[in-house]
């Protein structure tokens, strides 16, 4: 089945064409084209995403991306299903995608399915750039423990199958990506903060400052990142000449230690065969390296999407749309900012 997917939940406009085959036990995806128009430069002067500006940019970008996709693939006629993100995200931005997708589906005379952005991240490890899905070749995927770490969410799930999961824990305050963004702001680095922190951390000493690892030893799978951010704030206030690289490296280490420790403890407790990492923060090399090493140490396979598919994109929405189609899950075609997984 050929899926045309649209993503507009935040500050990336995404349009993708993905070939999906297999069933609920062995879904396979081939990306025919995935285009993303990033709005980072537009929001950067504001230090974060401005919903109405995002909406305006999505309205502008969607037809351009669709035209580009069709020019390169001439494949709009072969589309079987249109998928669009209905949440979670910024509602004005989500509506833009939904309205566009509704018109498009009507024009193509094809069904339209709503997709959950978080499920897109969750399933994104199934997206190979140009290969056969690695997970599809692995019979021993489940039970799996999945960490979704993005700008708006930090969630640990236990997955028994592709359609059955249980939330083990989540952040009680800031999301992991949000903490990177806020600490970056304290260090006067531009938005989005994650890649900036990672970049300057390379020049710093991760052991220079012993920042707290909130909730790391608690016997649950919840997180708290706002205390860590506040610890950075107090440190900077009392050390006027602090080395920004050391602060960034020490903060990054603390955040990664907590994320990895809890995910691995969940994997051990639930006898996981694999650990799945996704969301914007999954781009972080220290997090990828640490979770890979720790997963393999406890005998788990480790899966993370190719770098390009950690950031918001529409190919991952095609995976969520296909899985929702197979699961017969019908999300309402209306923006739901706080849609849960
Ligand atoms: O998944 P995503 O693209 O959007 C949401 O659904 O939220 O995630 C964006 C978040 C931002 O907070 C950004 O700072 C963070 O992911 N991020 C990173 C890195 N790249 C992006 N955080 C840490 N290290 C990175 N390399
Ligand atoms: Zn996202």
């Amino acid at each position: 089945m050929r899926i045309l997917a649209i993503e507009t939940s935040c500050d990336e406009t995404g349009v993708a064409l993905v070939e999906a085959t297999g069933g609920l036990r062995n879904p396979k995806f081939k990306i025919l084209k995935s285009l993303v128009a990033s709005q980072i430069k537009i929001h950067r002067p504001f230090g974060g995403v401005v919903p109405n500006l995002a909406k305006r940019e999505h309205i502008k970008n969607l037809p351009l991306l669709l035209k580009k996709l069709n020019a390169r693939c001439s494949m709009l006629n072969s589309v079987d299903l249109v998928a669009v993100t209905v949440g979670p995200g910024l509602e004005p931005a989500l509506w833009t995608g939904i309205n566009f997708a509704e018109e498009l589906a009507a024009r193509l005379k094809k069904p339209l399915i709503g997709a959950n952005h978080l499920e897109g991240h969750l399933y994104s490890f199934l997206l190979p750039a140009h290969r056969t899905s690695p997970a599809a070749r692995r019979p021993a995927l489940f039970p799996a423990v999945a960490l979704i770490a993005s700008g708006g969410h930090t969630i640990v799930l236990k997955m028994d199958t592709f359609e059955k999961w249980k939330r083990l824990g989540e952040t009680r305050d800031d999301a992991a990506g949000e903490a990177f963004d806020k600490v970056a702001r304290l260090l006067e680095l531009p938005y989005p903060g994650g890649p900036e922190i990672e970049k300057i951390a390379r020049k710093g000493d991760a052991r220079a400052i012993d920042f707290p690892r909130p909730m790391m030893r608690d016997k649950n799978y919840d997180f708290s990142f706002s205390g860590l951010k506040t610890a950075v704030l107090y440190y900077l206030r009392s050390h006027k000449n602090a080395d920004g690289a050391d602060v960034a490296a020490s903060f990054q280490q603390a955040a990664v230690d907590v994320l990895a420790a809890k995910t691995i403890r969940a994997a051990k407790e639930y006898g996981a065969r694999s650990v799945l990492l996704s969301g914007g923060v999954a781009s972080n090399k220290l997090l990828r390296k640490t979770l890979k090493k720790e997963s393999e140490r406890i005998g788990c396979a480790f899966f993370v999407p190719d770098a390009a598919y950690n950031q918001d994109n529409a190919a991952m929405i095609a995976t969520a749309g296909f899985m929702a189609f197979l699961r017969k899950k019908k999300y309402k075609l209306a923006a739901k900012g706080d849609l849960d997984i």
Side-chain angles (χ1 to χ4, degrees), residues 117 121 150-152 177-178 180-181 192-195 198 279-281 283-284 310-312:
H117 183 88
H121 279 306
S150 71
E178 195 178 353
F180 273 85
D181 294 337
E198 175 161 29
V281 184
S283 304
N284 187 278
N310 290 311
Q311 306 300 325
D312 291 347

Side-chain angles (χ1 to χ4, degrees), residues 13 57 94 114 120 131 139 153 164 186 189 219 284 295 309:
T13 319
E57 288 302 302
L94 289 163
R131 289 174 279 117
H153 298 83
K164 190 166 160 253
L186 295 176
L189 297 168
K219 297 231 167 307
N284 187 278
S295 301
Y309 301 107

Side-chain angles (χ1 to χ4, degrees), residues 3 5-7 83-85 115-117 120 313-322:
I3 302 174
I6 311 277
E7 153 66 30
V84 65
T85 310
N116 181 323
H117 183 88
N313 64 85
M316 73 182 206
I317 299 308
T319 65
F322 183 60

Side-chain angles (χ1 to χ4, degrees), residues 279-298:
V281 184
S283 304
N284 187 278
K285 292 200 187 70
L286 181 66
L287 178 60
R288 294 165 81 99
K289 205 174 86 185
T290 309
L291 262 188
K292 182 173 193 305
K293 197 175 91 195
E294 291 294 302
S295 301
E296 286 167 1
R297 188 176 58 78
I298 61 164

